[in-house]
Amino acid sequence: MIKIVKSEKSWIESNAVDQLKKISTLKGIIKAVGLPDLHIGKTPVGASYMTKDIIYPHIIGNDIGCGIGLFSTGFKKTKFKIDKSVKKLEKLDMLEYTSDSIKNIDFPFKEKLGTIGSGNHFAEFEEVNKVYDEKALNEIGINKNEIYLLVHSGSRRYGEYILNKYIKEYSCQNGLELGSDAFNEYMNEHNKAVEFAKLNREIIAHKISSCVNSKENKKLLDSVHNSITPKKIQDEIHYIHRKGASPSDIGYVVVAGSRGSNSYIVKPTDNLLDYAFSVSHGAGRKWSRFGCKEKLEKVYSKKYVRQNNMKCNLIYSDKNVIYEEAPEAYKNIERVIQDMVDEKMIEVVASLKPLITYKK
Ligand SMILES: Nc1nc2c(ncn2[C@@H]2O[C@H](COP(=O)(O)O)[C@@H](O)[C@H]2O)c(=O)[nH]1
Ligand SMILES: [Mn+2]
């Protein structure tokens, strides 16, 4: 019932495993899976659960629909001017009202559409670093000589509003029973927040691409890592709760690394029932946000903050992200990927190298 994907070489903090074990005791939880990026959170991140006849909104938390999208830019590697793009992006204010394009959209909190949000949410220009499966890359529509845009963001205040409403009205531990009004209302709002978050990533990609005068902005991949999704298994509907976990049943997904490491495009194996149809969504935190500044302040020079050893440029407004979202605060992405390859959960398609990370 509980499965932790881990090898002798990888590290998962015991507190996160304890958190996962506690959640697995909730009524109706059939399966609880800790993926290689498992780490502590309000509920553990990097986890996936399968339930029947009941759902638990607090497990997936407030950022309903958070996910990762990959977009084309049309820039050839050789033509992409990093310094020029950095200068343009430094002047971009994502909080500025988006445009007439969202005028007719009917969503609560729609003024937040097109904003990235704080913490580890980002938009990042990538070059294809290493190709492992050329055929798969062609199938996705990726040209190894071009530049791509990775966007990680969610439903902003909308998801938070939905979760707070359900926490106030219902007990987290009791969950919402299938067939109840609360279940139907939550799922209805949850599905809208998932759509909101997807649209948000598209608008962010459009704004960033326009800012650097890209001529193309096609969505190639998109995966949601915080959601509750129905899944038919042997004619019975189950509910997959993913908290910082990507679906294994939608085709190719991106597993994010950090702004100081590669990210990976992977192909999940078919029918990962034992893993609640999920794979890792990222590297996962090694350090909690608290304490990062103390650990890194004396080590980082001003120059290194702007451009790290991967030569990735950082654009930020909140100084705290320098430390709290530092590459050092995350686990080793190569280990996370290898653990999933060894477990036969994924095949690697390509790695992406970060060039510019925008966190404003
Ligand atoms: N390529 C980048 N990946 C990053 C960056 N900051 C964080 N991350 C990765 O994203 C996941 C997703 O986080 P979550 O909030 O949804 O749990 C995280 O585990 C990191 O591996 C970045 O700047 N660039
Ligand atoms: Mn996220």
Side-chain angles (χ1 to χ4, degrees), residues 55-97:
I55 54 168
Y56 293 95
H58 78 288
I59 289 184
I60 67 155
N62 60 353
D63 203 359
I64 303 167
C66 190
I68 295 180
L70 185 71
F71 300 81
S72 66
T73 69
F75 287 121
K76 291 267 173 286
K77 258 188 198 179
T78 47
K79 294 273 162 63
F80 185 57
K81 302 274 181 276
I82 295 179
D83 291 348
K84 259 192 183 168
S85 299
V86 166
K87 281 202 180 106
K88 283 182 187 153
L89 288 164
E90 270 170 346
K91 289 189 201 132
L92 175 66
D93 180 3
M94 292 297 273
L95 298 176
E96 260 174 28
Y97 194 66

Side-chain angles (χ1 to χ4, degrees), residues 131-148:
V131 179
Y132 297 82
D133 183 344
E134 190 120 23
K135 195 168 154 252
L137 212 61
N138 291 338
E139 205 175 290
I140 300 168
I142 292 180
N143 177 334
K144 64 181 178 208
N145 298 316
E146 291 190 359
I147 300 292
Y148 293 87

Side-chain angles (χ1 to χ4, degrees), residues 254-271:
V254 175
V255 187
S258 76
R259 63 181 164 84
S261 69
N262 290 325
S263 293
Y264 286 81
I265 301 174
V266 304
K267 182 184 182 196
T269 309
D270 282 343
N271 207 15

Side-chain angles (χ1 to χ4, degrees), residues 45 63 65-68 120-122 152-154 201 223-226 243-245 281:
V45 185
D63 203 359
C66 190
I68 295 180
N120 53 4
H121 296 127
F122 61 85
H152 171 214
S153 190
R201 290 190 282 280
S223 54
V224 175
H225 53 238
N226 289 344
K243 173 62 179 172
H281 78 315

Side-chain angles (χ1 to χ4, degrees), residues 15-64:
N15 287 344
V17 176
D18 291 345
Q19 271 193 321
L20 185 93
K21 283 185 182 159
K22 201 164 165 210
I23 289 185
S24 74
T25 62
L26 290 173
K27 182 183 154 195
I29 297 213
I30 295 170
K31 212 181 268 298
V33 181
L35 295 157
D37 56 338
L38 185 74
H39 60 97
I40 51 172
K42 281 183 189 151
T43 67
V45 185
S48 180
Y49 311 84
M50 220 163 86
T51 64
K52 209 168 152 275
D53 302 334
I54 194 162
I55 54 168
Y56 293 95
H58 78 288
I59 289 184
I60 67 155
N62 60 353
D63 203 359
I64 303 167

Side-chain angles (χ1 to χ4, degrees), residues 67-349:
I68 295 180
L70 185 71
F71 300 81
S72 66
T73 69
F75 287 121
K76 291 267 173 286
K77 258 188 198 179
T78 47
K79 294 273 162 63
F80 185 57
K81 302 274 181 276
I82 295 179
D83 291 348
K84 259 192 183 168
S85 299
V86 166
K87 281 202 180 106
K88 283 182 187 153
L89 288 164
E90 270 170 346
K91 289 189 201 132
L92 175 66
D93 180 3
M94 292 297 273
L95 298 176
E96 260 174 28
Y97 194 66
T98 306
S99 75
D100 286 349
S101 62
I102 63 164
K103 213 167 54 191
N104 299 323
I105 290 172
D106 182 23
F107 268 130
F109 302 100
K110 74 173 187 178
E111 72 285 355
K112 293 283 174 201
L113 279 168
T115 61
I116 294 181
S118 57
N120 53 4
H121 296 127
F122 61 85
E124 193 169 87
F125 284 95
E126 316 278 344
E127 66 179 18
V128 178
N129 180 57
K130 186 170 174 189
V131 179
Y132 297 82
D133 183 344
E134 190 120 23
K135 195 168 154 252
L137 212 61
N138 291 338
E139 205 175 290
I140 300 168
I142 292 180
N143 177 334
K144 64 181 178 208
N145 298 316
E146 291 190 359
I147 300 292
Y148 293 87
L149 180 63
L150 197 60
V151 177
H152 171 214
S153 190
S155 55
R156 310 287 282 112
R157 291 269 317 282
Y158 188 23
E160 197 179 310
Y161 159 80
I162 297 171
L163 180 69
N164 287 340
K165 197 165 127 184
Y166 283 86
I167 283 187
K168 218 181 259 172
E169 285 180 32
Y170 306 95
S171 146
C172 294
Q173 306 303 312
N174 291 341
L176 307 176
E177 303 265 357
L178 177 69
S180 65
D181 287 349
F183 180 105
N184 294 333
E185 281 160 26
Y186 173 80
M187 279 313 285
N188 193 17
E189 295 204 71
H190 161 286
N191 294 345
K192 280 194 200 154
V194 169
E195 288 313 309
F196 181 109
K198 282 185 183 167
L199 181 61
N200 190 30
R201 290 190 282 280
E202 285 171 20
I203 297 175
I204 290 166
H206 181 72
K207 273 181 172 178
I208 299 266
S209 298
S210 309
C211 174
V212 298
N213 303 325
S214 128
K215 303 234 173 336
E216 205 185 289
N217 178 218
K218 197 170 152 213
K219 183 159 78 178
L220 301 172
L221 298 176
D222 190 76
S223 54
V224 175
H225 53 238
N226 289 344
S227 70
I228 301 178
T229 311
K231 175 93 184 163
K232 207 176 197 177
I233 303 164
Q234 287 166 353
D235 285 336
E236 284 189 310
I237 299 292
H238 292 70
Y239 292 90
I240 310 293
H241 294 54
R242 295 188 179 95
K243 173 62 179 172
S246 292
S248 68
D249 52 0
I250 60 159
Y252 303 103
V253 295
V254 175
V255 187
S258 76
R259 63 181 164 84
S261 69
N262 290 325
S263 293
Y264 286 81
I265 301 174
V266 304
K267 182 184 182 196
T269 309
D270 282 343
N271 207 15
L272 288 182
L273 171 65
D274 286 352
Y275 307 85
F277 301 98
S278 304
V279 296
S280 287
H281 78 315
R285 291 196 78 90
K286 186 167 67 185
W287 299 343
S288 78
R289 289 194 169 89
F290 178 77
C292 285
K293 190 169 179 185
E294 207 177 60
K295 286 190 180 108
L296 295 170
E297 207 169 22
K298 291 204 176 78
V299 186
Y300 271 16
S301 69
K302 261 193 184 151
K303 204 171 152 231
Y304 187 77
V305 167
R306 285 255 163 231
Q307 201 183 65
N308 59 28
N309 56 359
M310 258 229 158
K311 299 257 176 279
C312 178
N313 299 266
L314 175 65
I315 298 169
Y316 64 95
S317 50
D318 175 5
K319 259 189 132 183
N320 290 320
V321 305
I322 299 171
Y323 306 107
E324 292 176 1
E325 300 308 323
E328 290 85 343
Y330 286 94
K331 296 195 212 183
N332 181 329
I333 185 65
E334 277 74 31
R335 189 69 255 156
V336 167
I337 295 292
Q338 193 57 49
D339 283 355
M340 289 195 287
V341 170
D342 292 347
E343 195 88 6
K344 300 199 171 16
M345 295 170 72
I346 56 162
E347 281 171 18
V348 181
V349 173

